[in-house]
Amino acid sequence: FGTALSTSMFEPSATNAQARKYREMAAKLFNHAVTENAMKWSEMEPEQGQTNYAALDSMARWCASNQIPLRGHCLFWGCEVPDWSKSLSDEQLLQAMEQRISRVMSRYASFVSEFDALNEPLHCPYFTERFGEGIVKKIFNWTRDASPMAGRYINDYNILSGGEAEAYADFIQLHLAAGAGISGIGLQGHFDGEADPFHVARALNRLAELK
């Protein structure tokens, strides 16, 4: 039963009563956690080569000390790409992406056992539009090489609460068949109004077919 952890509550400067109370309540109420924004590329590396690890380091150590498994969200998200990366050549960007995977996954290998490697590819297709569908295989195989034991997730929304379960399953099946090392499926549970349990069950059963 988890929560997304706020970056600001784990910054080195977060020593006030509010930050202490936040961490106290998070440990009391939850036994799993995910990085809310601290691991997103544009947050971590707003300027090329200047990576800010401080908040994420603090968050990872805090989770470990409280025996709370931490999920890494996310390595790549096409809706939030660092501005500096957009001006790189294709070859340079591919190199920067592979380096990011290697650095982040090796740094947090002892703290993070599962990563959302690719977030919202149905709705934020920046990487596939730029490089073609083969980039999905590259991303997942880079993550597998960097940390073979870590969970490597694809993640998207409008699956449990909308009508895109079939499109999501088709997308995943396409890339599994191409050799992408996807090891898990993430589902964002954004519900606007009541949830339909029968729709949720159908979506989960469809995705379960992918094993």
Side-chain angles (χ1 to χ4, degrees):
F1 186 66
T3 186
L5 294 175
S6 170
T7 307
S8 63
M9 295 292 100
F10 291 89
E11 294 284 5
S13 59
T15 59
N16 57 25
Q18 182 187 24
R20 292 195 299 272
K21 187 66 174 179
Y22 179 93
R23 293 192 290 269
E24 175 192 335
M25 295 307 296
K28 179 179 179 180
L29 297 172
F30 301 101
N31 58 17
H32 206 288
V34 61
T35 59
E36 183 178 41
N37 293 313
M39 192 176 281
K40 291 174 180 173
W41 197 3
S42 56
E43 293 277 336
M44 289 188 75
E45 194 177 0
E47 301 294 334
Q48 188 174 13
Q50 298 179 20
T51 307
N52 178 15
Y53 294 108
L56 192 50
D57 283 354
S58 174
M59 190 182 294
R61 288 193 298 268
W62 179 86
C63 283
S65 67
N66 286 280
Q67 299 181 308
I68 295 175
L70 181 63
R71 181 188 184 97
H73 176 81
C74 55
L75 292 173
F76 298 109
W77 180 25
C79 278
E80 195 173 297
V81 181
D83 289 339
W84 58 262
S85 71
K86 297 176 184 178
S87 62
L88 298 179
S89 69
D90 287 355
E91 183 178 354
Q92 289 170 329
L93 180 53
L94 288 171
Q95 184 179 38
M97 292 170 68
E98 188 173 8
Q99 287 176 344
R100 169 169 163 74
I101 286 172
S102 177
R103 290 167 181 166
V104 172
M105 295 188 76
S106 62
R107 188 181 185 94
Y108 298 106
S110 300
F111 299 99
V112 178
S113 61
E114 56 187 23
F115 293 83
D116 287 324
L118 183 58
N119 190 46
E120 300 181 358
L122 295 185
H123 301 95
C124 301
Y126 174 81
F127 295 106
T128 52
E129 288 180 349
R130 178 159 178 175
F131 295 110
E133 295 293 337
I135 190 61
V136 177
K137 178 179 177 179
K138 284 184 183 292
I139 289 171
F140 278 93
N141 291 357
W142 284 333
T143 56
R144 182 183 59 197
D145 293 344
S147 185
M149 301 304 292
R152 303 171 303 277
Y153 283 71
I154 196 164
N155 186 57
D156 220 314
Y157 66 91
N158 207 35
I159 313 301
L160 300 180
S161 57
E164 297 186 71
E166 194 65 38
Y168 195 32
D170 289 346
F171 184 91
I172 296 167
Q173 184 61 61
L174 171 70
H175 294 290
L176 287 174
I182 301 168
S183 65
I185 300 171
L187 300 164
Q188 298 176 34
H190 299 302
F191 291 92
D192 183 12
E194 295 181 356
D196 178 347
F198 300 101
H199 177 82
V200 170
R202 283 194 298 272
L204 292 174
N205 287 336
R206 174 66 183 95
L207 293 168
E209 293 173 9
L210 302 172
K211 303 189 187 305

